[in-house]
Amino acid sequence: LKYNPNGSLAYEVVRPATKDVIPLVRGALDSGGNWVITTTATSGGTRADIYTFFVAPDGTVPWYRLWNDTFNGNDYGAGAAIDAAGNIVAVGSGFAPGLGTDFKVIRYQRLTLTSASPTVIGGSNLSFTIGLNSRPTFATAFSLTDTSNNTVVPATSTVPTTATSINFTMTTTPV
């Protein structure tokens, strides 16, 4: 919930209805007025997982991510922060059978998507760049999807650990 200075409700953000939230929510505010919120949620009989939500100043949720360890143990979100480079950091703990509970730090890098041109004529190609604000620790793969069904984009692109950006081309359908 966000309230205006006069106490009236500015907006209410409702989480996806398929999850049961465990009542511990922590957040951080970036310089652009965006909230990053980390919590713990379960889904119909599965174990607890760490959820990180990105909430824009108008109350929309452009993205949220689930983090579940490889052992599918109980994972608990304990906090969120934004580092100096603008990366989003969620912290918490997780339990792995036979190993016990350990500390988790999950870093989500911000990325930019830029186009070589603001417009394109049907039947032409358009180049894009996906950029990260720092080199990834692991090769970072992106799924690319055209929701208009009028272009062709590669199914995936990967930023290697030796780079901070990649280029790809979108091919449009002739008009």
Side-chain angles (χ1 to χ4, degrees):
L1 303 172
K2 178 181 179 181
Y3 291 94
N4 295 313
N6 67 5
S8 63
L9 183 65
Y11 64 75
E12 174 184 10
V13 176
V14 179
R15 63 175 172 73
T18 59
K19 308 296 179 204
D20 297 319
V21 172
I22 295 169
L24 174 63
V25 177
R26 306 278 189 207
L29 183 65
D30 73 7
S31 60
N34 300 294
W35 280 100
V36 177
I37 299 168
T38 296
T39 189
T40 304
T42 61
S43 177
T46 64
R47 298 186 182 271
D49 297 315
I50 298 172
Y51 281 79
T52 301
F53 294 84
F54 185 85
V55 183
D58 65 356
T60 59
V61 181
W63 64 264
Y64 71 94
R65 297 291 181 269
L66 154 76
W67 191 86
N68 182 14
D69 67 24
T70 56
F71 299 104
N72 196 30
N74 283 317
D75 306 307
Y76 297 98
I82 301 164
D83 70 14
N87 298 313
I88 295 165
V89 181
V91 296
S93 64
F95 179 79
L99 299 175
T101 301
D102 58 1
F103 187 70
K104 305 292 182 190
V105 177
I106 306 148
R107 186 178 85 162
Y108 299 100
Q109 279 195 325
R110 295 211 183 186
L111 67 93
T112 57
L113 177 64
T114 54
S115 167
S117 171
T119 60
V120 64
I121 297 171
S124 301
N125 293 336
L126 184 59
S127 296
F128 287 90
T129 301
I130 295 176
L132 299 172
N133 56 1
S134 61
R135 287 185 177 175
T137 305
F138 303 98
T140 305
F142 296 94
S143 297
L144 304 172
T145 306
D146 168 37
T147 58
S148 71
N149 297 320
N150 293 320
T151 61
V152 176
V153 295
T156 60
S157 284
T158 302
V159 178
T161 58
T162 57
T164 58
S165 66
I166 56 167
N167 297 314
F168 70 94
T169 301
M170 175 183 76
T171 303
T172 63
T173 305
V175 177

